PDB file of all heavy atoms in Angstrom:
ATOM      1  N   THR B 106      -3.854 -26.503  -1.137  1.00  0.00           N
ATOM      2  CA  THR B 106      -2.757 -26.025  -0.259  1.00  0.00           C
ATOM      3  C   THR B 106      -1.633 -27.119  -0.186  1.00  0.00           C
ATOM      4  O   THR B 106      -1.985 -28.271  -0.389  1.00  0.00           O
ATOM      5  CB  THR B 106      -3.198 -25.649   1.160  1.00  0.00           C
ATOM      6  OG1 THR B 106      -3.775 -26.855   1.774  1.00  0.00           O
ATOM      7  CG2 THR B 106      -4.307 -24.589   1.257  1.00  0.00           C
ATOM      8  N   ARG B 107      -0.466 -26.707   0.159  1.00  0.00           N
ATOM      9  CA  ARG B 107       0.629 -27.659   0.274  1.00  0.00           C
ATOM     10  C   ARG B 107       0.474 -28.396   1.562  1.00  0.00           C
ATOM     11  O   ARG B 107       0.801 -29.632   1.571  1.00  0.00           O
ATOM     12  CB  ARG B 107       2.003 -27.023   0.087  1.00  0.00           C
ATOM     13  CG  ARG B 107       2.322 -26.488  -1.302  1.00  0.00           C
ATOM     14  CD  ARG B 107       3.729 -26.013  -1.412  1.00  0.00           C
ATOM     15  NE  ARG B 107       3.954 -24.807  -0.585  1.00  0.00           N
ATOM     16  CZ  ARG B 107       3.673 -23.603  -1.016  1.00  0.00           C
ATOM     17  NH1 ARG B 107       3.029 -23.387  -2.139  1.00  0.00           N
ATOM     18  NH2 ARG B 107       3.911 -22.502  -0.228  1.00  0.00           N
ATOM     19  N   ARG B 108       0.078 -27.837   2.610  1.00  0.00           N
ATOM     20  CA  ARG B 108       0.009 -28.586   3.905  1.00  0.00           C
ATOM     21  C   ARG B 108      -1.357 -28.356   4.489  1.00  0.00           C
ATOM     22  O   ARG B 108      -1.471 -27.446   5.407  1.00  0.00           O
ATOM     23  CB  ARG B 108       1.081 -27.988   4.861  1.00  0.00           C
ATOM     24  CG  ARG B 108       2.547 -28.228   4.356  1.00  0.00           C
ATOM     25  CD  ARG B 108       3.586 -27.606   5.230  1.00  0.00           C
ATOM     26  NE  ARG B 108       4.883 -27.854   4.786  1.00  0.00           N
ATOM     27  CZ  ARG B 108       5.532 -28.850   5.016  1.00  0.00           C
ATOM     28  NH1 ARG B 108       5.102 -29.882   5.638  1.00  0.00           N
ATOM     29  NH2 ARG B 108       6.808 -29.000   4.436  1.00  0.00           N
ATOM     30  N   PRO B 109      -2.274 -29.115   4.088  1.00  0.00           N
ATOM     31  CA  PRO B 109      -3.752 -28.884   4.433  1.00  0.00           C
ATOM     32  C   PRO B 109      -3.941 -28.893   5.953  1.00  0.00           C
ATOM     33  O   PRO B 109      -4.697 -28.075   6.565  1.00  0.00           O
ATOM     34  CB  PRO B 109      -4.531 -29.978   3.754  1.00  0.00           C
ATOM     35  CG  PRO B 109      -3.601 -30.449   2.710  1.00  0.00           C
ATOM     36  CD  PRO B 109      -2.138 -30.196   2.991  1.00  0.00           C
ATOM     37  N   ARG B 110      -3.221 -29.861   6.578  1.00  0.00           N
ATOM     38  CA  ARG B 110      -3.428 -30.019   8.083  1.00  0.00           C
ATOM     39  C   ARG B 110      -2.980 -28.722   8.802  1.00  0.00           C
ATOM     40  O   ARG B 110      -3.666 -28.235   9.698  1.00  0.00           O
ATOM     41  CB  ARG B 110      -2.743 -31.173   8.681  1.00  0.00           C
ATOM     42  CG  ARG B 110      -2.914 -31.348  10.135  1.00  0.00           C
ATOM     43  CD  ARG B 110      -2.377 -32.696  10.640  1.00  0.00           C
ATOM     44  NE  ARG B 110      -2.584 -32.643  12.098  1.00  0.00           N
ATOM     45  CZ  ARG B 110      -2.772 -33.732  12.822  1.00  0.00           C
ATOM     46  NH1 ARG B 110      -2.691 -34.983  12.315  1.00  0.00           N
ATOM     47  NH2 ARG B 110      -2.851 -33.620  14.205  1.00  0.00           N
ATOM     48  N   GLU B 111      -1.820 -28.263   8.438  1.00  0.00           N
ATOM     49  CA  GLU B 111      -1.302 -26.993   9.125  1.00  0.00           C
ATOM     50  C   GLU B 111      -2.280 -25.858   8.872  1.00  0.00           C
ATOM     51  O   GLU B 111      -2.550 -25.046   9.740  1.00  0.00           O
ATOM     52  CB  GLU B 111       0.087 -26.615   8.642  1.00  0.00           C
ATOM     53  CG  GLU B 111       1.128 -27.532   9.245  1.00  0.00           C
ATOM     54  CD  GLU B 111       2.571 -27.176   8.708  1.00  0.00           C
ATOM     55  OE1 GLU B 111       2.808 -26.128   8.197  1.00  0.00           O
ATOM     56  OE2 GLU B 111       3.348 -28.218   8.731  1.00  0.00           O
ATOM     57  N   VAL B 112      -2.704 -25.748   7.606  1.00  0.00           N
ATOM     58  CA  VAL B 112      -3.586 -24.715   7.253  1.00  0.00           C
ATOM     59  C   VAL B 112      -4.853 -24.760   8.040  1.00  0.00           C
ATOM     60  O   VAL B 112      -5.339 -23.727   8.739  1.00  0.00           O
ATOM     61  CB  VAL B 112      -3.956 -24.719   5.742  1.00  0.00           C
ATOM     62  CG1 VAL B 112      -5.086 -23.806   5.417  1.00  0.00           C
ATOM     63  CG2 VAL B 112      -2.739 -24.350   4.814  1.00  0.00           C
ATOM     64  N   LEU B 113      -5.329 -25.984   8.220  1.00  0.00           N
ATOM     65  CA  LEU B 113      -6.585 -26.228   9.003  1.00  0.00           C
ATOM     66  C   LEU B 113      -6.443 -25.750  10.461  1.00  0.00           C
ATOM     67  O   LEU B 113      -7.255 -25.123  11.003  1.00  0.00           O
ATOM     68  CB  LEU B 113      -6.992 -27.662   8.960  1.00  0.00           C
ATOM     69  CG  LEU B 113      -8.348 -27.983   9.452  1.00  0.00           C
ATOM     70  CD1 LEU B 113      -9.517 -27.363   8.622  1.00  0.00           C
ATOM     71  CD2 LEU B 113      -8.482 -29.501   9.298  1.00  0.00           C
ATOM     72  N   GLU B 114      -5.264 -26.065  10.992  1.00  0.00           N
ATOM     73  CA  GLU B 114      -4.922 -25.768  12.370  1.00  0.00           C
ATOM     74  C   GLU B 114      -4.925 -24.355  12.557  1.00  0.00           C
ATOM     75  O   GLU B 114      -5.276 -23.727  13.601  1.00  0.00           O
ATOM     76  CB  GLU B 114      -3.716 -26.606  12.774  1.00  0.00           C
ATOM     77  CG  GLU B 114      -4.030 -28.054  13.046  1.00  0.00           C
ATOM     78  CD  GLU B 114      -2.837 -28.922  13.221  1.00  0.00           C
ATOM     79  OE1 GLU B 114      -1.695 -28.422  12.919  1.00  0.00           O
ATOM     80  OE2 GLU B 114      -2.903 -30.061  13.778  1.00  0.00           O
ATOM     81  N   HIS B 115      -4.227 -23.596  11.507  1.00  0.00           N
ATOM     82  CA  HIS B 115      -4.164 -22.156  11.680  1.00  0.00           C
ATOM     83  C   HIS B 115      -5.589 -21.513  11.613  1.00  0.00           C
ATOM     84  O   HIS B 115      -5.864 -20.638  12.323  1.00  0.00           O
ATOM     85  CB  HIS B 115      -3.353 -21.585  10.533  1.00  0.00           C
ATOM     86  CG  HIS B 115      -1.897 -21.599  10.799  1.00  0.00           C
ATOM     87  ND1 HIS B 115      -1.329 -21.010  11.832  1.00  0.00           N
ATOM     88  CD2 HIS B 115      -0.811 -22.082  10.137  1.00  0.00           C
ATOM     89  CE1 HIS B 115      -0.065 -21.137  11.987  1.00  0.00           C
ATOM     90  NE2 HIS B 115       0.287 -21.863  10.900  1.00  0.00           N
ATOM     91  N   LEU B 116      -6.466 -22.104  10.757  1.00  0.00           N
ATOM     92  CA  LEU B 116      -7.792 -21.491  10.639  1.00  0.00           C
ATOM     93  C   LEU B 116      -8.517 -21.501  11.965  1.00  0.00           C
ATOM     94  O   LEU B 116      -9.117 -20.513  12.407  1.00  0.00           O
ATOM     95  CB  LEU B 116      -8.545 -22.308   9.664  1.00  0.00           C
ATOM     96  CG  LEU B 116      -8.157 -22.320   8.248  1.00  0.00           C
ATOM     97  CD1 LEU B 116      -9.060 -23.080   7.267  1.00  0.00           C
ATOM     98  CD2 LEU B 116      -7.910 -20.934   7.599  1.00  0.00           C
ATOM     99  N   VAL B 117      -8.521 -22.657  12.651  1.00  0.00           N
ATOM    100  CA  VAL B 117      -9.236 -22.776  13.947  1.00  0.00           C
ATOM    101  C   VAL B 117      -8.490 -21.968  15.051  1.00  0.00           C
ATOM    102  O   VAL B 117      -9.005 -21.677  16.148  1.00  0.00           O
ATOM    103  CB  VAL B 117      -9.531 -24.133  14.463  1.00  0.00           C
ATOM    104  CG1 VAL B 117     -10.508 -24.733  13.433  1.00  0.00           C
ATOM    105  CG2 VAL B 117      -8.296 -25.022  14.564  1.00  0.00           C
ATOM    106  N   ARG B 118      -7.184 -21.670  14.875  1.00  0.00           N
ATOM    107  CA  ARG B 118      -6.416 -20.779  15.848  1.00  0.00           C
ATOM    108  C   ARG B 118      -6.743 -19.294  15.690  1.00  0.00           C
ATOM    109  O   ARG B 118      -7.094 -18.646  16.638  1.00  0.00           O
ATOM    110  CB  ARG B 118      -4.942 -20.959  15.602  1.00  0.00           C
ATOM    111  CG  ARG B 118      -4.100 -20.167  16.474  1.00  0.00           C
ATOM    112  CD  ARG B 118      -2.472 -20.259  16.170  1.00  0.00           C
ATOM    113  NE  ARG B 118      -2.235 -19.801  14.890  1.00  0.00           N
ATOM    114  CZ  ARG B 118      -2.092 -18.608  14.485  1.00  0.00           C
ATOM    115  NH1 ARG B 118      -2.361 -17.587  15.337  1.00  0.00           N
ATOM    116  NH2 ARG B 118      -1.754 -18.123  13.273  1.00  0.00           N
ATOM    117  N   ILE B 119      -6.813 -18.867  14.447  1.00  0.00           N
ATOM    118  CA  ILE B 119      -6.949 -17.484  14.130  1.00  0.00           C
ATOM    119  C   ILE B 119      -8.500 -17.074  14.292  1.00  0.00           C
ATOM    120  O   ILE B 119      -8.747 -16.012  14.855  1.00  0.00           O
ATOM    121  CB  ILE B 119      -6.586 -17.086  12.648  1.00  0.00           C
ATOM    122  CG1 ILE B 119      -5.066 -17.496  12.434  1.00  0.00           C
ATOM    123  CG2 ILE B 119      -6.904 -15.759  12.310  1.00  0.00           C
ATOM    124  CD1 ILE B 119      -4.725 -17.538  10.922  1.00  0.00           C
ATOM    125  N   GLY B 120      -9.439 -18.007  14.016  1.00  0.00           N
ATOM    126  CA  GLY B 120     -10.768 -17.750  14.193  1.00  0.00           C
ATOM    127  C   GLY B 120     -11.442 -18.402  15.397  1.00  0.00           C
ATOM    128  O   GLY B 120     -10.996 -19.611  15.758  1.00  0.00           O
ATOM    129  N   ARG B 121     -12.460 -17.913  15.932  1.00  0.00           N
ATOM    130  CA  ARG B 121     -13.198 -18.692  16.934  1.00  0.00           C
ATOM    131  C   ARG B 121     -13.887 -19.777  16.170  1.00  0.00           C
ATOM    132  O   ARG B 121     -14.061 -20.890  16.813  1.00  0.00           O
ATOM    133  CB  ARG B 121     -14.334 -17.755  17.564  1.00  0.00           C
ATOM    134  CG  ARG B 121     -13.672 -16.691  18.520  1.00  0.00           C
ATOM    135  CD  ARG B 121     -14.689 -16.180  19.468  1.00  0.00           C
ATOM    136  NE  ARG B 121     -15.792 -15.540  18.791  1.00  0.00           N
ATOM    137  CZ  ARG B 121     -17.028 -15.861  18.907  1.00  0.00           C
ATOM    138  NH1 ARG B 121     -17.446 -16.835  19.745  1.00  0.00           N
ATOM    139  NH2 ARG B 121     -18.013 -15.240  18.226  1.00  0.00           N
ATOM    140  N   TYR B 122     -14.265 -19.573  14.940  1.00  0.00           N
ATOM    141  CA  TYR B 122     -14.857 -20.583  14.104  1.00  0.00           C
ATOM    142  C   TYR B 122     -14.145 -20.604  12.835  1.00  0.00           C
ATOM    143  O   TYR B 122     -13.695 -19.569  12.350  1.00  0.00           O
ATOM    144  CB  TYR B 122     -16.364 -20.417  13.875  1.00  0.00           C
ATOM    145  CG  TYR B 122     -17.274 -20.425  15.076  1.00  0.00           C
ATOM    146  CD1 TYR B 122     -17.634 -19.420  15.786  1.00  0.00           C
ATOM    147  CD2 TYR B 122     -17.726 -21.751  15.494  1.00  0.00           C
ATOM    148  CE1 TYR B 122     -18.502 -19.438  16.876  1.00  0.00           C
ATOM    149  CE2 TYR B 122     -18.530 -21.793  16.550  1.00  0.00           C
ATOM    150  CZ  TYR B 122     -18.883 -20.724  17.250  1.00  0.00           C
ATOM    151  OH  TYR B 122     -19.720 -20.819  18.307  1.00  0.00           O
ATOM    152  N   ALA B 123     -14.090 -21.743  12.209  1.00  0.00           N
ATOM    153  CA  ALA B 123     -13.606 -21.897  10.743  1.00  0.00           C
ATOM    154  C   ALA B 123     -14.721 -22.392   9.961  1.00  0.00           C
ATOM    155  O   ALA B 123     -15.465 -23.338  10.422  1.00  0.00           O
ATOM    156  CB  ALA B 123     -12.400 -22.666  10.622  1.00  0.00           C
ATOM    157  N   ILE B 124     -14.956 -21.878   8.731  1.00  0.00           N
ATOM    158  CA  ILE B 124     -15.851 -22.431   7.872  1.00  0.00           C
ATOM    159  C   ILE B 124     -15.119 -22.920   6.645  1.00  0.00           C
ATOM    160  O   ILE B 124     -14.429 -22.192   6.055  1.00  0.00           O
ATOM    161  CB  ILE B 124     -16.908 -21.403   7.509  1.00  0.00           C
ATOM    162  CG1 ILE B 124     -17.647 -20.900   8.708  1.00  0.00           C
ATOM    163  CG2 ILE B 124     -17.938 -22.044   6.389  1.00  0.00           C
ATOM    164  CD1 ILE B 124     -18.708 -19.760   8.367  1.00  0.00           C
ATOM    165  N   ILE B 125     -15.336 -24.272   6.414  1.00  0.00           N
ATOM    166  CA  ILE B 125     -14.579 -24.828   5.220  1.00  0.00           C
ATOM    167  C   ILE B 125     -15.590 -25.423   4.221  1.00  0.00           C
ATOM    168  O   ILE B 125     -16.580 -26.141   4.642  1.00  0.00           O
ATOM    169  CB  ILE B 125     -13.836 -25.970   5.706  1.00  0.00           C
ATOM    170  CG1 ILE B 125     -12.825 -25.645   6.992  1.00  0.00           C
ATOM    171  CG2 ILE B 125     -12.935 -26.691   4.656  1.00  0.00           C
ATOM    172  CD1 ILE B 125     -11.481 -25.336   6.502  1.00  0.00           C
ATOM    173  N   SER B 126     -15.308 -25.160   2.948  1.00  0.00           N
ATOM    174  CA  SER B 126     -16.052 -25.944   2.027  1.00  0.00           C
ATOM    175  C   SER B 126     -15.082 -26.710   1.143  1.00  0.00           C
ATOM    176  O   SER B 126     -13.959 -26.117   0.756  1.00  0.00           O
ATOM    177  CB  SER B 126     -16.988 -25.125   1.161  1.00  0.00           C
ATOM    178  OG  SER B 126     -16.336 -24.348   0.130  1.00  0.00           O
ATOM    179  N   LEU B 127     -15.302 -27.994   0.792  1.00  0.00           N
ATOM    180  CA  LEU B 127     -14.316 -28.679  -0.085  1.00  0.00           C
ATOM    181  C   LEU B 127     -15.101 -29.690  -0.949  1.00  0.00           C
ATOM    182  O   LEU B 127     -16.129 -30.251  -0.579  1.00  0.00           O
ATOM    183  CB  LEU B 127     -13.266 -29.239   0.800  1.00  0.00           C
ATOM    184  CG  LEU B 127     -13.522 -30.415   1.647  1.00  0.00           C
ATOM    185  CD1 LEU B 127     -12.207 -30.997   2.273  1.00  0.00           C
ATOM    186  CD2 LEU B 127     -14.445 -30.182   2.870  1.00  0.00           C
ATOM    187  N   PRO B 128     -14.437 -29.903  -2.111  1.00  0.00           N
ATOM    188  CA  PRO B 128     -15.058 -30.997  -3.042  1.00  0.00           C
ATOM    189  C   PRO B 128     -14.847 -32.406  -2.457  1.00  0.00           C
ATOM    190  O   PRO B 128     -13.789 -32.661  -1.742  1.00  0.00           O
ATOM    191  CB  PRO B 128     -14.279 -30.769  -4.240  1.00  0.00           C
ATOM    192  CG  PRO B 128     -12.957 -30.088  -3.930  1.00  0.00           C
ATOM    193  CD  PRO B 128     -13.214 -29.416  -2.687  1.00  0.00           C
ATOM    194  N   ASN B 129     -15.756 -33.303  -2.672  1.00  0.00           N
ATOM    195  CA  ASN B 129     -15.623 -34.642  -2.051  1.00  0.00           C
ATOM    196  C   ASN B 129     -15.107 -35.587  -3.245  1.00  0.00           C
ATOM    197  O   ASN B 129     -15.744 -35.826  -4.206  1.00  0.00           O
ATOM    198  CB  ASN B 129     -17.102 -35.132  -1.696  1.00  0.00           C
ATOM    199  CG  ASN B 129     -17.056 -36.537  -1.274  1.00  0.00           C
ATOM    200  OD1 ASN B 129     -16.038 -36.986  -0.723  1.00  0.00           O
ATOM    201  ND2 ASN B 129     -18.173 -37.205  -1.242  1.00  0.00           N
ATOM    202  N   PHE B 130     -13.833 -36.090  -2.901  1.00  0.00           N
ATOM    203  CA  PHE B 130     -13.360 -37.032  -3.855  1.00  0.00           C
ATOM    204  C   PHE B 130     -13.952 -38.426  -3.823  1.00  0.00           C
ATOM    205  O   PHE B 130     -13.707 -39.264  -4.683  1.00  0.00           O
ATOM    206  CB  PHE B 130     -11.738 -37.124  -3.667  1.00  0.00           C
ATOM    207  CG  PHE B 130     -11.026 -37.276  -4.927  1.00  0.00           C
ATOM    208  CD1 PHE B 130     -10.929 -36.330  -5.861  1.00  0.00           C
ATOM    209  CD2 PHE B 130     -10.305 -38.483  -5.223  1.00  0.00           C
ATOM    210  CE1 PHE B 130     -10.234 -36.492  -7.049  1.00  0.00           C
ATOM    211  CE2 PHE B 130      -9.610 -38.715  -6.365  1.00  0.00           C
ATOM    212  CZ  PHE B 130      -9.536 -37.714  -7.279  1.00  0.00           C
ATOM    213  N   GLY B 131     -14.824 -38.543  -2.806  1.00  0.00           N
ATOM    214  CA  GLY B 131     -15.519 -39.753  -2.641  1.00  0.00           C
ATOM    215  C   GLY B 131     -16.882 -39.832  -3.402  1.00  0.00           C
ATOM    216  O   GLY B 131     -17.668 -40.831  -3.411  1.00  0.00           O
ATOM    217  N   TYR B 132     -17.211 -38.695  -3.980  1.00  0.00           N
ATOM    218  CA  TYR B 132     -18.445 -38.590  -4.784  1.00  0.00           C
ATOM    219  C   TYR B 132     -18.562 -39.692  -5.815  1.00  0.00           C
ATOM    220  O   TYR B 132     -17.571 -39.965  -6.488  1.00  0.00           O
ATOM    221  CB  TYR B 132     -18.446 -37.207  -5.426  1.00  0.00           C
ATOM    222  CG  TYR B 132     -19.687 -36.791  -6.209  1.00  0.00           C
ATOM    223  CD1 TYR B 132     -20.928 -37.037  -5.739  1.00  0.00           C
ATOM    224  CD2 TYR B 132     -19.626 -36.240  -7.545  1.00  0.00           C
ATOM    225  CE1 TYR B 132     -22.102 -36.687  -6.505  1.00  0.00           C
ATOM    226  CE2 TYR B 132     -20.688 -35.899  -8.336  1.00  0.00           C
ATOM    227  CZ  TYR B 132     -21.901 -36.170  -7.735  1.00  0.00           C
ATOM    228  OH  TYR B 132     -23.088 -35.812  -8.461  1.00  0.00           O
TER     229      TYR B 132
END
Side-chain angles (χ1 to χ4, degrees):
Chain B
T106 62
R107 286 189 294 280
R108 298 176 182 277
R110 179 173 177 151
E111 281 177 26
V112 168
L113 193 61
E114 285 168 345
H115 275 305
L116 297 182
V117 293
R118 175 186 65 79
I119 298 164
R121 289 199 300 124
Y122 293 97
I124 299 176
I125 306 263
S126 77
L127 72 174
N129 176 24
F130 214 68
Y132 181 49

